[in-house]
Amino acid sequence: MTTPEAAGQRFLGTGPFIWMADIAKALKTALGEQAGQVATRQLPNVVVRIASIFNPSLKAITISLGRRNRHTTEKARRILGWTPRPAEQTAVECARSLIEHGINEQKARLA
């Protein structure tokens, strides 16, 4: 950060909230068959809560179920002139990079 006004300050580097289901839809739309294993079905929150009784690793996410996080990056926009990229675009570009680097194939070989 080279803006003098940014010295000693903290900034959120995030974009607007997006549901995982929306990310899955974006991947399916943009990647077609390459996103064949991307799950688009959603478990109802109550099912996840019940499952967390039997699978303690799910307990950590139950507090976030149905919660839409709201925050602002206005300070970063105003002081740094920063604009976040759309989450859907970022997710698709990340997936394309993973595909290009053969991450899915590496995972399959390790299994």
Side-chain angles (χ1 to χ4, degrees):
M1 297 189 308
T2 58
T3 305
E5 297 86 3
Q9 296 195 47
R10 295 180 180 190
F11 298 90
L12 290 177
T14 184
F17 180 85
I18 182 170
W19 296 107
M20 292 298 288
D22 295 327
I23 292 173
K25 288 176 194 170
L27 292 172
K28 290 279 192 178
T29 300
L31 301 176
E33 288 187 26
Q34 288 180 308
Q37 293 185 10
V38 173
T40 56
R41 294 184 305 186
Q42 291 180 265
L43 282 176
N45 291 348
V46 68
V47 173
V48 176
R49 289 184 196 285
I50 292 169
S52 74
I53 295 168
F54 305 100
N55 184 344
S57 67
L58 295 174
K59 285 204 183 293
I61 66 168
T62 59
I63 60 170
S64 299
L65 291 175
R67 191 165 127 200
R68 179 182 289 267
N69 295 324
R70 290 187 172 89
H71 45 268
T72 179
T73 55
E74 180 53 36
K75 181 179 171 183
R77 292 173 195 261
R78 182 174 29 82
I79 295 175
L80 304 175
W82 179 78
T83 303
R85 295 174 24 198
E88 294 90 342
Q89 173 188 349
T90 303
V92 168
E93 290 175 1
C94 178
R96 284 191 174 127
S97 176
L98 292 171
I99 291 167
E100 287 173 16
H101 287 89
I103 300 302
N104 203 29
E105 289 81 16
Q106 289 176 14
K107 182 180 173 186
R109 283 195 299 269
L110 293 173

